[in-house]
Amino acid sequence: MWNECVAMSRKVYALNKDADEKVTCGPAQLDKMLTGARQSMAWLREGASVWANSVVRDFDALAVEDFRPRFLAKSTMARKAADAAIGATKAALIEMGRKHGRTVHLVHPAHTTMDCAHCGARAKHALPLSERTYTCTACGALSPRDKNSARVMLVRAGLNPASADLVSPAPCQGAGKVS
């Protein structure tokens, strides 16, 4: 699909070089191509190109990692496509947020899996991906790794993570703040 989109963009670019009337090939046209491809490919029917729209409509404010995956683009086309996909996803969330009047906070991604969302303490070592539970050594908070990271992002964005599960984070004395 990525190659099809690139080919279509190049074709439109070539057509526009000498044309008086310019043809466009933006997200709407590429989305129509994707819809057409979904009719012929079962694996594409499983996904959705409008998840960004529904996420933005369902929430008043969003916190998203300002992830710049330069390391993904080192060698293969698949990694370059993944790099572009992450950037496109972030751009889609920001654009949909603007359209719907929602605030999208870009959060620095460093240490989101190492910081405690409850007290702000930082773990001394990074958690391996196989470890799915975050346990804070400072305050003893225990939560699923992804949920803790999401709460860290909410705190960094200046939002109230307590409303995420309708519980208030417990204060912890003597621990560093999440920055």
Side-chain angles (χ1 to χ4, degrees):
M1 286 314 306
W2 172 257
N3 291 339
E4 290 290 323
C5 290
V6 170
M8 179 57 77
S9 295
R10 286 181 177 162
K11 180 180 173 184
V12 169
Y13 177 77
L15 287 172
N16 284 337
K17 271 187 172 181
D18 300 323
D20 292 332
E21 194 172 318
K22 304 292 182 190
V23 180
T24 61
C25 181
Q29 289 85 2
L30 294 175
D31 194 50
K32 285 180 186 175
M33 278 180 55
L34 180 60
T35 301
R38 281 197 176 131
Q39 293 172 356
S40 62
M41 294 181 231
W43 65 271
L44 272 178
R45 284 192 289 271
E46 311 249 338
S49 63
V50 297
W51 69 278
N53 194 13
S54 62
V55 167
V56 168
R57 279 188 302 193
D58 290 347
F59 299 96
D60 293 331
L62 299 165
V64 178
E65 280 189 339
D66 191 11
F67 187 61
R68 292 184 177 96
R70 289 182 191 101
F71 65 91
L72 290 176
K74 281 184 181 173
S75 58
T76 66
M77 181 63 179
R79 288 183 180 167
K80 290 179 182 179
D83 182 27
I86 290 168
T89 301
K90 187 169 53 172
L93 283 171
I94 291 167
E95 177 60 22
M96 286 296 158
R98 186 192 60 72
K99 274 180 149 176
H100 292 282
R102 304 293 198 261
T103 304
V104 178
H105 301 272
L106 296 178
V107 177
H108 193 280
H111 308 296
T112 55
T113 59
M114 293 176 64
D115 290 352
C116 177
H118 294 277
C119 72
R122 180 164 297 155
K124 292 184 180 6
H125 66 287
L127 284 151
L129 286 174
S130 61
E131 193 170 327
R132 304 309 306 158
T133 304
Y134 177 87
T135 306
C136 180
T137 55
C139 72
L142 184 72
S143 65
R145 172 194 181 118
D146 295 336
K147 189 173 273 193
N148 181 70
S149 295
R151 286 181 180 167
V152 168
M153 289 191 294
L154 289 172
V155 168
R156 289 182 184 179
L159 302 171
N160 181 8
S163 64
D165 284 336
L166 303 175
V167 294
S168 296
C172 183
Q173 301 296 329
K177 292 187 174 188
V178 175
S179 56

